[in-house]
Amino acid sequence: MTSSRRLRHPVLLGPSVAALLLAAVGCSSTDAAVSITVPTPSPEAAGYCRALHKELPRTVAGLGLGDAGPKSELTAEWGDGEIVLRCGVPRPAKMDDPMAKGTEANGVNWLLEQPDGAGPRFTTTYRKAYVEVTLSEAYVHDASPLAAFGPPVRRTVPGL
């Protein structure tokens, strides 16, 4: 038995489907805005961070400097939050661990932390202000973006 029944208002189906698709696209994580927590450093560290901000590279690992909010001389991001820099962060407790992992990139020493379910986070060591760089999960085995931060950190944030 075949039904030859037709919808009386097939036009209503089109906009409904379009509205559902727009809602789904609007909720996708690829368009999510990056929200960066701004540190609250001491006045001395904030001065170093302002100087660093003026020296930051326009591109890192092929990603352009973004405009994630809030606007601050203490933060920056490249890509859609794939690389995030925060200057003036507190000294990580992990620095007290003699077994902590670290790396050196372009004359700057970095502490490595790998939070569960996130990309690596690096924090400068032996500097008068702590600079933190968080990489997306795409860089879980690639610290090469740190090289771009070595020269500006060395020029603007003195060692201890």
Side-chain angles (χ1 to χ4, degrees):
M1 180 180 217
T2 313
S3 172
S4 60
R5 186 175 154 189
R6 293 183 182 236
L7 294 174
R8 287 185 146 183
H9 302 287
V11 179
L12 294 178
L13 184 61
S16 297
V17 171
L20 277 173
L21 286 173
L22 286 174
V25 169
C27 294
S28 76
S29 62
T30 57
D31 292 336
V34 175
S35 179
I36 301 171
T37 302
V38 178
T40 54
S42 69
E44 178 186 21
Y48 299 133
C49 293
R50 283 191 296 278
L52 173 62
H53 195 276
K54 293 175 185 172
E55 298 281 329
L56 291 174
R58 305 300 289 160
T59 61
V60 175
L63 302 171
L65 187 59
D67 58 359
K71 297 284 184 210
S72 172
E73 291 180 320
L74 305 175
T75 63
E77 61 95 18
W78 290 262
D80 291 326
E82 291 179 64
I83 300 172
V84 174
L85 179 141
R86 297 185 326 130
C87 185
V89 299
R91 182 181 188 276
K94 187 86 170 171
M95 283 191 186
D96 294 331
D97 181 356
M99 301 304 290
K101 295 180 181 179
T103 190
E104 185 273 344
N106 262 351
V108 175
N109 293 312
W110 300 86
L111 167 74
L112 166 63
E113 296 177 276
Q114 293 191 294
D116 291 334
R121 179 176 56 227
F122 297 90
T123 307
T124 56
T125 61
Y126 308 116
R127 298 273 162 191
K128 290 194 176 190
Y130 293 104
V131 179
E132 174 190 276
V133 173
T134 304
L135 306 176
S136 72
E137 288 186 58
Y139 296 97
V140 75
H141 298 292
D142 180 9
S144 63
L146 289 180
F149 300 112
V153 167
R154 282 194 331 266
R155 282 192 300 270
T156 60
V157 183
L160 295 176

